[in-house]
Amino acid sequence: MEVVQENLFNVTQKDKIVSKKFTVKDVFFNNGLVNLYQFLQEYAFDIDIKLEKSFLELKYKDEKIFFEILNKFLEEKEIVTFNKKNTRIFFDTNTNEFTQAPKVNIKNGGSNDSKNALIRVHIDYLSISKEELLKKEEKYIQENENHTKDEYKIEKCYYDKSKQEIYVLSSLQKHIEKFSSYLVKDDFLALNSSIHNFEDGQKSFHDMIKISKNYNIDKWEALIYWFGTKIQHYFNFAFFIYPNSSNIEALNIFKRDLKIKDEKNSFRDEDDTLITTNTNINFYSQLQDDEIFGKKFKNFYISKSDIEFELKFFMYLYSKICHIEEEYEKAGKRIKKLKEKIFNALQEISFVIYVEDGTFKKSLNEYTKAYQFIQFLEELKKTKTNIQKDKESNLFIYLADMIVTFGLSQSSKEININFQKWCKAFLEFKSLRKYYYTTSFNILKNESKSFGKGLYEFEKIYLKNIMKGKNMSTHEKSKVLGESIGYFCAELGDKDLLFKLRNVKNYKQLLSYFKDLKFASLKNEEKARFSKEFNESLEEVIDILETDWEIIRDYIAIYAIDKFKATNYAKSQQNK
């Protein structure tokens, strides 16, 4: 068989079998390759498909298969639909009457797109004469009081009255065929807004695919881009994550087995309220398997920055991997070593986040980092804790609880920069202490939800697993000091000693703070219950105060504020 190489595809002349091979390119094209492959597997088209690491190959006999695939895509993805909320004027060739019927709607399309999906014919081809047609117009006007309104004017039925072409009532399939023929007039198409629909004003799309805006592409390449981008317009789409890979076999495994879809998600909460997420990741439906649901976690499912969304996505990803085997078993499918297969695919995957301000954020694209992060989430899931009353819990649930705490520590109208910095540091395995410190004072000031007992367990595991035990001893001693100080302040009913910690800017000021604490305890001996452990810890931290004063100050403040709030809460419950 003689094969002639031509650009991205091969054409076989001898037996008239057309073979086209498409290689990996940019994030949109790669996703389009996988989406097209999965689509062709789902529907019985007369086409052979082959997916390898670096290419997708299609073999077919008749070029009409292109429009069969495109038309099915436009139908299944509801890109061409009837808008039942709005009507326009058509001529019904079955009844030979003017009628009002739903408009054709093109998802993300402009007025020209909708107009070019309509079916029109010359009035000479109608089964009635021009005179009879004029009588039908008069009859319609007499019977419809709203005929003078713009959407009901008889003129709207005409494409161009001077050309005497009239829009006729047609089936959805006819509209789809008309629209697809409008989209694809030639074998090669200009790379413009009809191919992609990102309107970011920064030409990110062109920058990422690294080709000229005026470059013409094969219609099959255009189809692949449509499969990669045309499903959504991304308008009011807060965050959208694209998995990407130069290994499209791995990308296929990742999207298929983890069900990473391109559509906007919605879910019903515990009150059966329909919530639209404005993202393609359904966090709620997945993470409720990990007991992350209910009013306590209501604010968890609202992301206000791309970095917050990234963190939650990796929680979602870990949960998917964690539960995927049991999901397949429930469905009657037993797949050996499914987790290993997904982890193998993960080493080939990078992630691109589209943010509604029109920028693309590449993040966590190093396999070792993503793998290590998921391993840490697994460690959190294994660690049991008593943060939820009368219910077994773990630190993975606490992580969600901590995210809520950060979110509530400031007004919803404020940009929580401190929280964003914490998310970034967490994803990069850097120290988190100073972000807890800042948030603790926000909690104290705003009387919002505190971090609670789980913070010590979480930070202890973080320091051990991520930071190789750095500052562990100082952390533990400072916790002892902080909790004692917090309890003392609660007994006094005074926040002064807590807020004084915020003014400590060097080790000498921290030493002075301890002297003030001693004076306050002597002044209020009946309420000062400092243990032997407190005194021993204080002696030990004073020895390292000059070098580690900031670490000591931060942890003391964090645990003092938390203990202060916990003690006050316990008192309020006793007084009820």
Side-chain angles (χ1 to χ4, degrees), residues 49-91:
I49 51 176
K50 181 180 181 181
L51 186 75
E52 297 284 348
K53 286 185 178 181
S54 61
F55 68 85
L56 173 69
E57 186 175 22
L58 306 177
K59 291 183 179 181
Y60 55 90
K61 297 176 182 178
D62 196 327
E63 196 65 31
K64 70 179 183 181
I65 194 73
F66 174 87
F67 282 102
E68 290 177 14
I69 295 168
L70 176 57
N71 292 346
K72 190 67 175 176
F73 170 73
L74 295 174
E75 178 187 0
E76 289 301 302
K77 299 305 179 182
E78 297 183 340
I79 293 170
V80 181
T81 57
F82 283 129
N83 185 348
K84 295 180 180 178
K85 294 181 179 179
N86 291 306
T87 60
R88 63 163 295 138
I89 305 304
F90 293 96
F91 187 76

Side-chain angles (χ1 to χ4, degrees), residues 71 133 191 217 244 321 430:
N71 292 346
L133 183 63
L191 182 63
I217 61 174
N244 185 36
I321 294 171
K430 295 179 179 177

Side-chain angles (χ1 to χ4, degrees), residues 71 121 280 342 428 524:
N71 292 346
V121 299
N280 63 320
I342 293 169
E428 294 176 353
N524 300 277

Side-chain angles (χ1 to χ4, degrees), residues 151-368:
E151 64 268 35
Y152 293 112
K153 286 181 180 177
I154 203 77
E155 291 83 355
K156 290 288 182 180
C157 194
Y158 288 90
Y159 168 70
D160 184 335
K161 203 156 189 179
S162 65
K163 293 182 179 180
Q164 297 187 311
E165 291 180 332
I166 196 166
Y167 291 117
V168 296
L169 191 66
S170 304
S171 66
L172 180 62
Q173 193 59 39
K174 290 288 185 184
H175 289 303
I176 289 172
E177 290 171 5
K178 180 69 165 56
F179 182 64
S180 65
S181 64
Y182 158 72
L183 274 179
V184 184
K185 298 183 180 72
D186 301 297
D187 288 340
F188 286 86
L189 308 174
L191 182 63
N192 55 30
S193 60
S194 68
I195 307 299
H196 70 86
N197 40 30
F198 290 94
E199 297 178 358
D200 51 32
Q202 299 179 26
K203 297 184 179 178
S204 295
F205 182 90
H206 303 295
D207 290 345
M208 294 191 77
I209 61 176
K210 297 178 181 178
I211 58 178
S212 167
K213 184 178 180 180
N214 299 318
Y215 180 77
N216 286 341
I217 61 174
D218 175 67
K219 67 182 181 184
W220 284 91
E221 289 183 82
L223 181 70
I224 291 167
Y225 273 125
W226 287 327
F227 268 87
T229 68
K230 203 171 183 65
I231 293 172
Q232 289 293 348
H233 189 52
Y234 312 104
F235 179 69
N236 285 338
F237 215 128
F239 306 106
F240 182 96
I241 196 157
Y242 275 105
N244 185 36
S245 180
S246 58
N247 180 344
I248 53 176
E249 275 187 334
L251 186 59
N252 179 52
I253 289 169
F254 199 79
K255 293 189 77 169
R256 181 193 66 208
D257 291 335
L258 293 179
K259 299 179 177 65
I260 306 292
K261 300 294 185 183
D262 294 339
E263 289 86 358
K264 188 181 291 188
N265 267 296
S266 59
F267 64 87
R268 290 195 176 276
D269 63 14
E270 62 276 6
D271 298 323
D272 201 36
T273 302
L274 185 65
I275 308 294
T276 301
T277 63
N278 288 331
T279 172
N280 63 320
I281 304 299
N282 194 334
F283 294 109
Y284 183 86
S285 296
Q286 180 59 47
L287 291 174
Q288 65 179 341
D289 291 345
D290 298 286
E291 305 296 323
I292 300 173
F293 66 95
K295 293 181 180 178
K296 178 180 180 182
F297 295 107
K298 182 179 179 182
N299 293 300
F300 174 84
Y301 293 100
I302 303 169
S303 294
K304 294 185 177 179
S305 70
D306 58 302
I307 196 72
E308 179 185 351
F309 175 76
E310 287 173 30
L311 173 56
K312 292 174 183 177
F313 171 72
F314 273 83
M315 292 178 70
Y316 165 91
L317 181 57
Y318 165 70
S319 180
K320 267 286 186 186
I321 294 171
C322 183
H323 294 286
I324 195 166
E325 285 182 340
E326 60 193 56
E327 286 180 17
Y328 272 85
E329 285 177 10
K330 285 177 185 176
K333 299 176 183 177
R334 293 183 176 273
I335 299 181
K336 292 180 180 179
K337 297 184 178 179
L338 188 56
K339 284 184 183 178
E340 287 82 354
K341 184 173 71 170
I342 293 169
F343 270 114
N344 288 337
L346 181 59
Q347 66 183 309
E348 305 279 354
I349 302 293
S350 63
F351 300 96
V352 177
I353 287 183
Y354 179 79
V355 187
E356 67 178 345
D357 65 2
T359 59
F360 286 92
K361 310 277 186 175
K362 286 187 177 181
S363 57
L364 290 170
N365 53 3
E366 298 175 22
Y367 164 72
T368 52

